[in-house]
Amino acid sequence: MSGPDRVEGQQPAVAQQDAFTRWVYGRPFFGGLWLTLGGAWILLTMKASVKVVLHVGMQGAAGYLLPTLMVVLGLLILFSPAQRLFYSITGVLISMGSWVTSNMGGFMVGLLLGVVGSVLTFGWLPDQDPRVSRRERRGSAQDAPAADPGPTGSDTHTAQAGIAAGTPQAAR
């Protein structure tokens, strides 16, 4: 987003955002959403006809337990983002476990949604400045005036050499 509303290195002006947008920016929203959708997709594929179901797991209990936990972890990520690292690691393990317990992880769709959502959550960092491309950094470095190197007398070099050697300057 660019324009007059954008301040260098910050999100759009908070006063012009609605409450939902501020809520989304304050948490790993898409990671939690994808993990929740992955669990919901696996639960929906568990209700498929018997001809389509490949493997339900141990009498169906684990087949329903793991996707339910995926949905719960996704909702916990959305509503309690402070513990996102634990939730995301648990979410990726449970998503991978759904491969064995429930229809190959919802025909791999739910498994992939769960893993990608967990990885997005794990990588989310709050209050991080947006990344600046190498081209923009190079352009700003060329536009900036040359920095003053400071005093260039022999006293500066002698003091630095004394500090590096570990001898106090007064002893010289």
Side-chain angles (χ1 to χ4, degrees):
M1 177 183 224
S2 62
D5 294 340
R6 181 157 177 89
V7 179
E8 186 64 33
Q10 294 180 356
Q11 296 291 342
V14 177
Q16 294 181 354
Q17 293 177 344
D18 60 351
F20 180 74
T21 305
R22 285 192 306 269
W23 186 78
V24 167
Y25 278 138
R27 61 198 68 247
F29 179 75
F30 290 105
L33 179 69
W34 286 20
L35 183 59
T36 303
L37 290 177
W41 178 263
I42 294 173
L43 282 173
L44 286 175
T45 61
M46 295 295 291
K47 296 292 184 183
S49 68
V50 177
K51 295 177 183 177
V52 177
V53 173
L54 301 175
H55 185 66
V56 176
M58 304 174 286
Q59 285 78 27
Y64 289 106
L65 179 66
L66 293 184
T68 304
L69 286 175
M70 287 173 64
V71 170
V72 168
L73 286 172
L75 293 174
L76 283 172
I77 288 169
L78 290 175
F79 295 108
S80 177
Q83 302 297 324
R84 68 187 178 280
L85 296 178
F86 174 73
Y87 298 149
S88 65
I89 292 170
T90 308
V92 81
L93 292 175
I94 289 175
S95 297
M96 296 301 287
S98 71
W99 172 265
V100 177
T101 61
S102 53
N103 249 354
M104 294 187 327
F107 304 114
M108 284 194 54
V109 174
L111 182 139
L112 289 176
L113 282 171
V115 168
V116 170
S118 297
V119 168
L120 283 174
T121 301
F122 188 81
W124 180 79
L125 294 173
D127 302 330
Q128 184 181 18
D129 291 334
R131 298 190 77 167
V132 179
S133 70
R134 192 176 290 165
R135 180 177 296 155
E136 290 174 3
R137 285 189 304 234
R138 194 175 301 137
S140 65
Q142 290 174 353
D143 293 342
D148 184 25
T152 57
S154 61
D155 294 337
T156 306
H157 296 295
T158 307
Q160 289 174 353
I163 292 171
T167 60
Q169 184 66 22
R172 291 179 160 200

